[in-house]
Amino acid sequence: MPPPSRRALLTAGTAAALSLAAAAAPTAAARTARPFGRFGSPSRRLTERTLYVHPGGLGDHTSVQAAVSAASSPDRTLVIAPGTYRETVAVGAAATGMTWIGASEDPRDVVVVYDNAAGTLRPDGTTYGTSGSATTTVQADGFAARWITFANDFLRTDLPGNPGTQAVAIKVQGDRSSFLHCRFLGHQDTLYADSMSLAAVARQYFAHCHVEGDVDFVFGRARAVFEHCHFRTLLRTDLASAPHGFVFAPSTAGANPYGFLADRCRVTSEAPDGYYKLARPWVPSSDTTARPALVVRDSVLGRGIDAVAPYANMRDAYPWQAQRFAEYRNTGPGAAVTVPENRPQLSAQQAESATRAAYLGDWTPRWAGATTIGSTMN
């Protein structure tokens, strides 16, 4: 059997790929018998507000977008059977309180994926742009997902020579959005944690999630908290030298006191040692007053992170030193403080404000503080 292609690895997830073949036979039998696991079925719904998605027709709908479109009232739940759903999905602002559940309780089994990039041509001859490239777009407040993989499997070789290689797996703009045991797979601009407008504050919570990519693969202006998440930096075979990319690229509005918080996370890499930066600030042309903010605390930074110079500029007009980047009690080879001026550190007193509660305010996500129960993605 030939080795899986890079696109197959992207969809399956690097860490999971080797186990897929061995698990295929019993998993297929279990899916046929109970495709929705312990979450009911169209004949025995959990609630009247639950819809079931199955690619083979055993649910209410065969595509995720069809189910989203049919959920015409707030607080609907989609139970999604194992399968690869090759489609783009848009959850509009009116679909508040929507929940997606991966029926197998393993995010490797339920994959929502497409391959648009910023430079991909639309049918009318224009390009999608970064925002338009998103496989999944969520504008509704109160969105929640558990055990789902959100992916964009565009490869740079699909558009040789085209600079529009941004390819978003998910763009989240709603307030009070939460994700537990989810995977976000892509290359450039994988996870776009954003808001609906410059003035809007969008609080987002990610727990026990896996995010992988290369350039700015966690970016945007949301007030986003990542707890116990795994960030995986990829090998760039098109580049011969460092840097291969950047994990975070926040674009926090200047008036927002909180940007991204990564707490008790880990960063690993398949690239050579020191080939990745931890972050660079994104000050977009639409908001030149932005002051990108990032705190990484109590996390393990692997050898892939450049410990000497973990931050870089996106544009020299907005140096990273003028933004709000800081660390606290990180460990691992990539966290070694060899040049103190290159690694701003919080004091113990400042760290008291770098918490989930401070960032999320009066909102406590339903899964806040959840343990790694059920299947994991790593």
Side-chain angles (χ1 to χ4, degrees):
M1 179 183 295
S5 68
R6 184 67 188 89
R7 176 165 276 126
L9 283 172
L10 177 63
T11 304
T14 304
L18 297 178
S19 66
L20 290 180
T27 301
R31 290 173 183 170
T32 302
R34 295 185 61 194
F36 301 107
R38 63 186 176 92
F39 299 102
S41 68
S43 62
R44 49 185 187 88
R45 297 182 190 276
L46 291 183
T47 70
E48 293 181 355
R49 309 184 74 79
T50 303
L51 294 174
Y52 294 87
V53 183
H54 187 280
L58 299 181
D60 300 303
H61 303 279
T62 58
S63 74
V64 179
Q65 183 60 66
V68 169
S69 298
S72 56
S73 58
D75 302 318
R76 301 300 293 268
T77 297
L78 272 56
V79 177
I80 307 175
T84 297
Y85 298 84
R86 179 160 286 278
E87 57 179 305
T88 59
V89 183
V91 181
T96 56
M98 179 173 286
T99 298
W100 294 8
I101 297 174
S104 70
E105 303 180 55
D106 187 330
R108 292 170 294 189
D109 292 336
V110 179
V111 180
V112 182
V113 60
Y114 210 70
D115 61 353
N116 285 333
T120 303
L121 290 178
R122 298 176 185 267
D124 64 4
T126 63
T127 57
Y128 281 97
T130 299
S131 291
S133 74
T135 298
T136 302
T137 301
V138 178
Q139 296 183 328
D141 292 342
F143 180 83
R146 188 169 188 174
W147 300 306
I148 306 288
T149 290
F150 300 90
N152 189 315
D153 63 357
F154 168 81
L155 301 176
R156 290 181 175 88
T157 52
D158 294 342
L159 292 175
N162 191 312
T165 55
Q166 301 88 347
V168 178
I170 188 169
K171 181 177 183 180
V172 187
Q173 296 176 281
D175 186 33
R176 295 176 287 107
S177 303
S178 58
F179 300 82
L180 177 65
H181 290 306
C182 288
R183 297 192 306 163
F184 305 91
L185 309 182
H187 283 276
Q188 183 171 356
D189 292 2
T190 303
L191 172 54
Y192 195 171
D194 200 34
S195 66
M196 289 294 288
S197 69
L198 291 177
V201 173
R203 296 165 295 177
Q204 299 171 11
Y205 179 67
F206 303 81
H208 302 287
C209 291
H210 175 99
V211 193
E212 65 181 45
D214 48 46
V215 177
D216 305 331
F217 63 94
V218 181
F219 74 114
R221 64 170 173 249
R223 185 182 293 186
V225 175
F226 302 87
E227 288 186 335
H228 302 288
C229 289
H230 177 199
F231 302 96
R232 178 75 170 170
T233 63
L234 301 178
L235 179 67
R236 293 280 300 274
T237 57
D238 59 316
L239 295 179
S241 60
H244 275 192
F246 315 85
V247 180
F248 299 100
S251 58
T252 320
N256 192 340
Y258 303 109
F260 291 170
L261 170 65
D263 185 6
R264 291 162 292 168
C265 296
R266 61 190 175 107
V267 180
T268 65
S269 182
E270 62 180 41
D273 294 356
Y275 266 48
Y276 271 85
K277 305 291 186 181
L278 186 60
R280 64 177 180 174
W282 176 33
V283 179
S285 58
S286 58
D287 182 18
T288 56
T289 64
R291 284 198 64 213
L294 166 70
V295 172
V296 180
R297 62 170 301 169
D298 296 295
S299 296
V300 180
L301 309 183
R303 296 184 181 278
I305 297 299
D306 180 356
V308 174
Y311 305 106
N313 298 339
M314 187 175 292
R315 291 196 294 272
D316 289 342
Y318 305 101
W320 72 264
Q321 294 90 340
Q323 314 311 322
R324 296 174 286 179
F325 287 178
E327 301 176 56
Y328 184 67
R329 293 193 314 200
N330 293 323
T331 58
V337 180
T338 58
V339 183
E341 58 267 33
N342 286 351
R343 306 205 76 140
Q345 302 290 315
L346 296 179
S347 67
Q349 182 176 8
Q350 291 170 326
E352 292 178 0
S353 298
T355 64
R356 180 211 311 149
Y359 276 60
L360 302 185
D362 62 0
W363 172 51
T364 300
R366 74 178 77 171
W367 297 318
T371 62
T372 52
I373 57 173
S375 300
T376 60
M377 69 293 295
N378 298 323

